[in-house]
Amino acid sequence: MTDHHSEHPRSSGFSEQDVQREVSELQGQSTTAARLFDIRRIIGGLFVIYGVIVTIAGLTDDDAAIDKAEGVNINLWTGLGMLLLGIFFLVWLKLRPTAPPPPDVEAEEEAGAAPKG
């Protein structure tokens, strides 16, 4: 009497190449997501948008608003500062992009330890 289950312990239908290709695709998607959601991009973008809005508000301030701030066009200076900070973050992102994550050593060890059939 033979045990039919012991003849083919792995009958999932996936070859080693299929698994490796799937892992590579997932790593590529992970790297893309990490670059897309880099905090420097989010902070830089928000500061540029708000900087433009506040700068426009500063350019359109009347004398009463400037007198209220003791003669300083605070909206203009704050808007320009925010704009410069946002540009700094975006330039930083461009000059030093996110490095791809190192290969997952544990996943490679598990794949190597799997019984070959």
Side-chain angles (χ1 to χ4, degrees):
M1 183 160 125
T2 62
D3 187 13
H4 294 289
H5 296 294
S6 64
E7 291 177 14
H8 299 289
R10 279 180 42 190
S11 60
S12 63
F14 294 109
S15 69
E16 187 69 28
Q17 289 82 12
D18 291 338
V19 172
Q20 290 298 328
R21 186 183 53 215
E22 186 70 25
V23 167
S24 297
E25 288 175 9
L26 289 174
Q27 286 176 340
Q29 291 172 355
S30 174
T31 302
T32 302
R35 286 189 180 127
L36 182 64
F37 294 110
D38 189 344
I39 193 72
R40 295 174 294 179
R41 180 183 312 262
I42 296 168
I43 292 173
L46 286 174
F47 268 100
V48 166
I49 291 170
Y50 289 143
V52 168
I53 293 169
V54 175
T55 301
I56 291 171
L59 292 173
T60 59
D61 274 346
D62 57 358
D63 290 335
I66 294 173
D67 290 340
K68 190 176 181 182
E70 298 182 13
V72 177
N73 192 342
I74 194 74
N75 285 335
L76 179 63
W77 289 110
T78 303
L80 290 174
M82 292 172 76
L83 198 55
L84 287 174
L85 184 63
I87 290 170
F88 166 75
F89 272 97
L90 295 176
V91 167
W92 179 22
L93 177 68
K94 186 73 171 172
L95 294 177
R96 306 267 325 221
T98 305
D104 190 10
V105 177
E106 292 176 13
E108 290 176 1
E109 290 174 356
E110 288 176 10
K116 307 253 179 191

